[in-house]
Amino acid sequence: MAAQIWGSEKRARRRREISAKIAQMPELHDSKPLPFMTREEKIMESARKLTILTEKMGQIIDPTDPAELYHLNNEVLGLEGNPMALHGVMFIPALSAQASDEQQAKWLPRALRREIIGTYAQTELGHGTNLQNLETTATYDLATQEFVLHTPQITALKWWPGNLGKSSNYAVVVAHMIIKAKNYGPHPFMVQLRDEKTHEPLPGITIGDIGPKMAYNIVDNGFLGFNKYRIPRTNLLMRHTKVEADGTYIKPPHAKINYSAMVHVRAYMLTGQAIMLASALNIATRYSSVRRQGQIDKSQPEVKVLEYQTQQHRLFPSIARAYAFQFAGAETVKLYEHVLKEMKSGNVSLMADLHALTSGLKSVVTYQTGEGIEQARMACGGHGYSMASYISEIYGVAIGGCTYEGENMVMLLQLARYLVKSAALVKSGQSSKLGPLVAYLGVKSEPTSLIDRIPNSGFTEYVKTFQHVSKRQTLKAADMFFGLMEKGEKREIAWNKCSVELNRASRLHTRLFIVEAFVRRVNEIADIRIKEALTDLLHLHVNYELLDIASYALEDGFLSASQLDYIRDQVYLYLGKIRPNAVSLLDSWEFSDIELRSVLGRRDGNVYENLFKWAKSSPLNKTDVLSSVTQYLKPMMEKARL
Ligand SMILES: CCCCC/C=C\C/C=C\C/C=C\CCCCC(=O)SCCNC(=O)CCNC(=O)[C@H](O)C(C)(C)COP(=O)(O)OP(=O)(O)OC[C@H]1O[C@@H](n2cnc3c(N)ncnc32)[C@H](O)[C@@H]1OP(=O)(O)O
Ligand SMILES: Cc1cc2nc3c(=O)[nH]c(=O)nc-3n(C[C@H](O)[C@H](O)[C@H](O)COP(=O)(O)OP(=O)(O)OC[C@H]3O[C@@H](n4cnc5c(N)ncnc54)[C@H](O)[C@@H]3O)c2cc1C
């Protein structure tokens, strides 16, 4: 199963080998539980481990393999981030996709050797979503052949970029490029922020940390201002766009090609989210098979809480989602790598499809991951609320994904633009022009679902039902939009008035893609036992998801009330079937105790003894009487006694 999850037997084996090596290297372990450290201590601890890793990485992993790097990162540095998180996630990908060969030769080897640390600085205090209204400017000075970066007002301060505050000395900065008073829109520039020797901010740069966040606090998300700060013309990233010495602008082959670093993260973060969801579920499911509370049969001893159907219903559909996200994520990464290769050689024809797909996926996956992790926390009762479970940190980091790389509602609306264009093709009889991801929009569907009538149809009838609801909602939302425009409403106003319906279409389309990716994967599996276990999970997935969106299929009679009862019964049936495999389905992800950082989720199940040990190690328990008591509470009580 681990081979299915991680892509191949070799990958699964390598992960095991890497975890085993790390287990033998105490210098790479947290020196004490992270929840007991202050933010400064955590940042220091992370930097300590990061530098050891830089020295010893070659002994542990193949540093050129991103999957091995990612695993090493999760084990040693963990999900709270590290001082170079954005260096790998966005700075290097931005240079790789947007810098010319000459620029790459100059900067990439230095970045890869970690001579310099970089980040991606785009969002500002006043604008994150609406890139057209970013306010930082890069004005070309013809006389000196330099760009002058400037922050005209407080809202133009860069705000949020990870590791910008304290760790990075370089950044890819996105600024509006102005040449001879003409604004060419946001473009990426390579900018040195700090002196390479002293790490002091360079003159003209104002920089710092934006303060503590809900989670992810090892990362120094930062602010940045420029006071007429000059950089050479050749620091504009020039793979696709060029500015010649005389100020001539050579436009890129696609208007949005400079957004590729964002698409990179949107594609890669899906499996990251799957991992976080599976981690939280691993903790909750293991704990649920240790925790005994109450009886189902009063004549029997107390049961493991995992025996309760409500507990299974809370956890198992999310286990199915974690697998579904992992499989859909793996497909998306493959597609992304393909499109990136094409883009580098000038073929931009697939960019719109990839943008639409990743926009929908990042929104649905991050939202459902958040839901699943929060349910996992509640499934652990009181102990889930303790930082000893570590679920709250996983939750905080995961739901950051609902916001970063494009706020979820906004990204769903990006996909909706693509769906509405596709609907227009269907309505004008040009269905043959639909891309493969939306081809179903042009296919006539049956009048009713046959879900309960062809039980051995594999998952075909389910897929058809998802296609039906997605198609119907897309055409309905598009009709609403076109109808408003026909009535004379301006395009943007009409769009806003339909946006809730449009986003519903985007979610349904994306959920269909996830279901199909899961079906595709299960169909490919040769090993009978693995196929059986995953088929059960897929049964739960399709029935649970369909129940969740049933209103769309009920309103036009595609599903009947009795079919809904059938679907519900299938959910209960598969909850029971999955129960014996539940812990294994999560253990198969092979997270080590080091990586999970959870007292509740320990592999050995020795929860209570270790919770007590953990509590005793709380800094508050270093003394029996705190100074807050001697200074304030004790005098207060004494005064009251007089
Ligand atoms: C590598 C491993 C990673 C694993 C991660 C795992 C765990 C993670 C843990 C921790 C987190 C780590 C890092 C966090 C990093 C976070 C970094 C950031 O957040 S960086 C900032 C990101 N910012 C955004 O995403 C901003 C969102 N806004 C936008 O993207 C755009 O503004 C917009 C909403 C898309 C609108 O853009 P614009 O105003 O330029 O658009 P219009 O002029 O209206 O044109 C729309 C038109 O353009 C098409 N389009 C838009 N984008 C693209 C694209 N990328 N590719 C192709 N086409 C695009 C769009 O489709 C429209 O087309 P059309 O309908 O035909 O007009
Ligand atoms: C943990 C974290 C890490 C980050 N890292 C980075 C980084 O490394 N580099 C970087 O540059 N940025 C980073 N960001 C910033 C992030 O990319 C932005 O916060 C994000 O893109 C959302 O933009 P915003 O803050 O402007 O939200 P807003 O756009 O202000 O969103 C507020 C509300 O307005 C709604 N809204 C906005 N526009 C529309 C619209 N057109 N239609 C409908 N509704 C709309 C949204 O849906 C939302 O409900 C990070 C953010 C976080 C939380």
Side-chain angles (χ1 to χ4, degrees), residues 280-297:
L281 291 164
N282 200 4
I283 294 165
T285 308
R286 280 181 181 169
Y287 174 66
S288 298
S289 60
V290 169
R291 180 72 162 180
R292 288 181 183 270
Q293 186 108 241
Q295 291 129 302
I296 293 174
D297 176 345

Side-chain angles (χ1 to χ4, degrees), residues 528-544:
I528 297 291
R529 282 172 316 151
I530 299 294
K531 195 177 183 115
E532 217 173 86
L534 280 182
T535 303
D536 285 347
L537 211 50
L538 179 52
H539 272 292
L540 178 64
H541 186 66
V542 290
N543 284 292
Y544 181 86

Side-chain angles (χ1 to χ4, degrees), residues 66 175 403 409 428 455 558:
T403 307
M409 294 295 167
S428 58
F558 192 72

